[in-house]
Amino acid sequence: MARVALVSGGTRGIGAAIAKALKAAGYKVAANYGGNDEAANAFKNETGIPVFKWDVSDYDSCAAGIAKVEADLGPIEILVNNAGITRDTMFHRMKPEQWSAVINTNLNSLFNMCRPVIEGMRERSFGRIINISSINGQKGQMGQVNYSAAKAGDIGFTKALAQENAAKGVTVNVICPGYIGTEMVRAVPEDVLKKSILPHIPVGRLGEPEEIARCVVFLAADDAGFITGSTLSANGGQYMI
């Protein structure tokens, strides 16, 4: 029987690519989304992947949403925490709500999404949790103190949870994408892209969402059971550690 995979923020951008790739690899996939009904319905119609709406920053919403997914598809065995937002501004101008919104959606969501599934994964002696962080969680980024803090927290969360669950057959890994050619990044003015972004990427181009999706499919596989607590950087050589 096909394993069940849940992708948060799974109807647009990198998340949509991940959901499609997991389906193509034979998984039963559910895609969570937060607010854009039009995009979610278009994604569902295009792919046939069921979509589920809830706010990943709210624990009760996550618990209820995950229960609905499991009732419809079966126990969640692969969880991809991809949902994220930005509220960019220099720290000395940052408002408390800009800080809280990013921390709640990009970091606290990992607790909210993992806690309802972790006991089942441990009981079944199998699970794959894959968190999507960012290059800016590794190196920091001016104007993104909130985002960088949250994404760095995702990495620490991954390493600790991996240690707790390795003996139970549950792996926990994190992917740190660099600049990926999503709708948001491609909206950057071309001159800014050519002068300020691409020169810092040794491979000389943006990444593609599908390249991140292939990383997820690799880590989600049954054969990836010896890989846990790892940080996979997919940034075209922009930041090497």
Side-chain angles (χ1 to χ4, degrees):
M1 182 177 290
R3 296 195 184 279
V4 176
L6 170 61
V7 183
S8 73
T11 63
R12 301 171 64 193
I14 292 173
I18 291 170
K20 292 176 185 177
L22 286 169
K23 181 181 180 181
Y27 297 92
K28 291 169 62 176
V29 182
N32 153 267
Y33 73 103
N36 192 325
D37 294 322
E38 183 179 353
N41 287 328
F43 171 84
K44 179 181 178 181
N45 292 335
E46 175 197 348
T47 64
I49 294 172
V51 298
F52 298 81
K53 184 178 182 180
W54 73 79
D55 178 4
V56 296
S57 72
D58 180 79
Y59 179 80
D60 290 338
S61 296
C62 290
I66 286 169
K68 180 68 165 61
V69 171
E70 294 197 322
D72 288 358
L73 301 182
I76 293 167
E77 295 171 291
I78 292 91
L79 173 63
V80 183
N81 289 306
N82 168 75
I85 61 171
T86 57
R87 296 290 185 269
D88 295 352
T89 189
M90 297 294 282
F91 185 74
H92 61 277
R93 299 192 190 99
M94 188 174 292
K95 294 178 171 60
E97 54 267 30
Q98 292 172 307
W99 172 266
S100 297
V102 171
I103 295 296
N104 287 337
T105 299
N106 296 12
L107 177 56
N108 290 346
S109 63
L110 269 61
F111 175 88
N112 298 340
M113 293 289 287
C114 290
R115 186 62 186 85
V117 304
I118 194 67
E119 290 184 66
M121 288 181 174
R122 288 169 61 89
E123 289 169 4
R124 293 185 298 272
S125 298
F126 182 89
R128 298 284 184 266
I129 296 172
I130 301 159
N131 301 317
I132 308 300
S133 179
S134 168
I135 186 176
N136 293 340
Q138 297 174 297
K139 72 175 186 61
Q141 177 61 42
M142 184 169 63
Q144 287 194 328
V145 170
N146 48 5
Y147 184 83
S148 296
K151 291 301 188 179
D154 292 346
I155 297 171
F157 178 100
T158 296
K159 292 177 182 296
L161 193 63
Q163 292 179 48
E164 291 186 9
N165 292 281
K168 292 293 186 178
V170 180
T171 67
V172 191
N173 294 288
V174 60
I175 299 170
C176 290
Y179 281 90
I180 305 300
T182 60
E183 182 180 343
M184 180 178 68
V185 172
R186 293 195 186 280
V188 173
E190 188 174 354
D191 62 325
V192 174
L193 195 64
K194 289 183 176 180
K195 293 178 182 178
S196 302
I197 296 177
L198 293 180
H200 298 288
I201 304 174
V203 302
R205 63 172 178 86
L206 300 175
E208 295 297 334
E210 292 75 16
E211 292 178 295
I212 306 304
R214 287 194 287 273
C215 296
V216 171
V217 172
F218 167 68
L219 292 172
D222 285 23
D223 290 343
F226 200 61
I227 303 170
T228 195
S230 293
T231 302
L232 177 53
S233 296
N235 60 37
Q238 185 177 356
Y239 187 70
M240 303 181 189
I241 57 171

